[in-house]
Amino acid sequence: NMSLGGDASGTQDLLTMAVDNLDRAGIVVAVASGNSGPGRGTVGSPGSAERALTAGASTVGQFVGTPIKDAGGSTVAVAAIGDFPTPESDLTAPLAKAAGDPLGNGCDAGQFGDDMVGAIALISRGICTFGQKVDNAEKAGAVAAIIVNNVPGDPIAMAADAAFPTTIPAVQAAQGDLGALVALVGKPVTLGAQPAYTRTANDNIMADFSSQGPTDVTFRVKPDVVAPGVNVLSSVTQKSCKDPGDTGCWAFMQGTSMATPHLAGMAAVVRQAHPAWTAEQVRSAIVNTAQEGVLKNSRRITELETSVLVTGAGLADLKAAVGADVAVGPVSTSFGAVPAGSGQVITRTVTVTDLTGATQTLSVSVDGRDASRFKASTTKVKVPEGGSTSFTVTFTAGKKAAAGEYQATLRLGDVAHSVLFALVK
């Protein structure tokens, strides 16, 4: 099994061909979808490869943070620590904010006034790197910086920027803490020195940066499936350790490149449990048994994310993948781009393969938002012991079909599901 991260669009054709060939050779290749989201068509190469096991990223509700306290000693927020220094002892100073309504992003040095001298800078996340924000604050005389997240959920561990070397402490607070912190501007606050592990309920929120499908040309659904990729606790090299030889050789990291190793690890476990399964069958086991209805919208975290171009088949579930009864090929079915008003009826073939060593009879159904546009050629399939069977699924655009995305879910009994997608243009 292999895990690949990042976007290498300049060598797209070679990379996607390589991934497809590796899969055919029996190697499961887990690939990051990319960190160019939100936005349709942002999935990177080689995550766009048809036979890649492409990962989107969701949150883990955890971080290591340090308290921010008001003058009365009450904790008003817990801020995540990352690559930047933290105070060696409790640091108390007036809170001053980057100019903006309600809070500036700190990318322009002009956002920092004379009140920043000797103060703790309050800055919004967004537009430029964390390093540039902290550098501007430090040059304006700030003794520390608090970056406020610009998306819901937990704060994240901020990465430093080699182009902007800084020395002052810097941490990140949650978007939900913005109001309480802005209310303290001009007043003394204390940035605590003692970090602590913080567990929250902010699990399974789609990362706002997670790249989305469809792919170009063929308009395939990508990512295939989602795995944890925000605030993932990971080891780091000894050179990067905060306390080499001690307990500091870890960090919280984010990115679809952090979600990808989860899928590679799942593939290894599935393969160990079922060494005779092909790479294609391992991919299907992971994708077509994913949890549905648990991933939340990155901007409206009280709502579920419903677009398959963001979530793929859902949240990967290792136990379900190991216990998969069938493999579905392809793992999702795209009907490509259909001209609006064409009234086209497009047909695709779906193949189901037994993974249990016993004959199975499964119901076949289609449900979901646009189920009326999709139709399976049968309502029941008999999958022979150790063998395969195929049927067709059609998408009917209709001459009055509005331009837009059409999606539904193909179900094989209660043992597998597969995404159906078409784009009317």
Side-chain angles (χ1 to χ4, degrees):
N1 306 312
M2 297 177 65
S3 172
L4 298 175
D7 176 14
S9 55
T11 53
Q12 180 174 347
D13 290 342
L14 290 176
L15 283 170
T16 54
M17 288 173 57
V19 168
D20 288 345
N21 287 336
L22 287 168
D23 182 85
R24 290 186 177 90
I27 299 171
V28 180
V29 187
V31 187
S33 63
N35 302 326
S36 299
R40 296 293 193 258
T42 52
V43 63
S45 175
S48 56
E50 179 180 5
R51 299 173 76 98
L53 178 58
T54 305
S58 61
T59 62
V60 183
Q62 63 177 7
F63 64 96
V64 167
T66 185
I68 302 171
K69 298 181 180 181
D70 62 18
S74 298
T75 298
V76 294
V78 178
I81 63 175
D83 289 348
F84 297 90
T86 52
E88 295 183 0
S89 59
D90 288 359
L91 173 62
T92 301
L95 191 64
K97 78 182 189 77
D101 185 18
L103 185 61
N105 57 43
C107 298
D108 183 347
Q111 295 178 12
F112 299 92
D114 294 339
D115 60 342
M116 201 60 62
V117 177
I120 297 174
L122 187 66
I123 310 167
S124 175
R125 180 185 180 185
I127 307 300
C128 62
T129 67
F130 299 125
Q132 184 173 348
K133 298 172 189 289
V134 178
D135 182 62
N136 283 338
E138 183 172 14
K139 287 177 178 176
V143 295
I146 301 169
I147 312 296
V148 182
N149 206 352
N150 62 351
V151 294
D154 293 331
I156 66 169
M158 298 186 297
D161 184 344
F164 297 96
T166 60
T167 62
I168 62 173
V171 295
Q172 185 176 115
Q175 185 186 54
D177 297 323
L178 174 62
L181 290 170
V182 169
L184 292 174
V185 169
K187 301 175 183 178
V189 298
T190 299
L191 190 58
Q194 185 59 49
Y197 176 79
T198 302
R199 185 72 175 96
T200 76
N202 290 318
D203 293 314
N204 304 331
I205 303 168
M206 285 301 306
D208 64 316
F209 57 74
S210 188
S211 289
Q212 304 171 9
T215 64
D216 58 3
V217 184
T218 54
F219 299 93
R220 287 189 295 271
V221 172
K222 291 289 180 174
D224 295 301
V225 71
V226 171
V230 177
N231 281 349
V232 175
L233 182 61
S234 177
S235 61
V236 296
T237 61
Q238 188 174 29
K239 184 179 179 181
S240 302
C241 291
K242 294 182 178 179
D243 302 301
D246 196 1
T247 58
C249 292
W250 55 268
F252 283 95
M253 298 183 180
Q254 12 280 323
T256 53
S257 292
M258 295 308 296
T260 306
H262 284 84
L263 297 189
M266 288 184 185
V269 173
V270 173
R271 174 150 276 173
Q272 183 179 37
H274 305 285
W277 287 6
T278 65
E280 187 174 17
Q281 290 168 344
V282 172
R283 279 192 293 111
S284 174
I286 294 171
V287 174
N288 300 121
T289 63
Q291 295 182 50
E292 300 175 275
V294 297
L295 292 167
K296 302 163 194 170
N297 184 278
S298 63
R299 298 283 174 173
R300 302 179 301 279
I301 63 176
T302 59
E303 300 177 13
L304 294 178
E305 177 56 66
T306 58
S307 174
V308 299
L309 298 178
V310 180
T311 67
L315 181 66
D317 183 332
L318 177 57
K319 183 178 180 180
V322 170
D325 290 333
V326 296
V328 183
V331 295
S332 64
T333 300
S334 173
F335 294 82
V338 184
S342 66
Q344 288 187 13
V345 178
I346 302 170
T347 301
R348 296 284 188 261
T349 299
V350 176
T351 300
V352 185
T353 302
D354 169 59
L355 297 176
T356 66
T359 298
Q360 302 182 66
T361 300
L362 302 172
S363 61
V364 178
S365 61
V366 176
D367 61 28
R369 187 185 73 194
D370 304 307
S372 62
R373 298 281 180 182
F374 300 88
K375 184 177 178 59
S377 60
T378 182
T379 59
K380 186 177 293 186
V381 290
K382 185 175 183 179
V383 189
E385 174 185 340
S388 302
T389 190
S390 297
F391 59 93
T392 60
V393 179
T394 57
F395 171 73
T396 302
K399 289 187 177 297
K400 295 183 179 180
E405 301 165 1
Y406 291 79
Q407 64 180 58
T409 301
L410 173 68
R411 298 195 183 280
L412 298 167
D414 60 358
V415 302
H417 66 276
S418 180
V419 169
L420 307 174
F421 175 77
L423 180 65
V424 174
K425 299 180 68 176

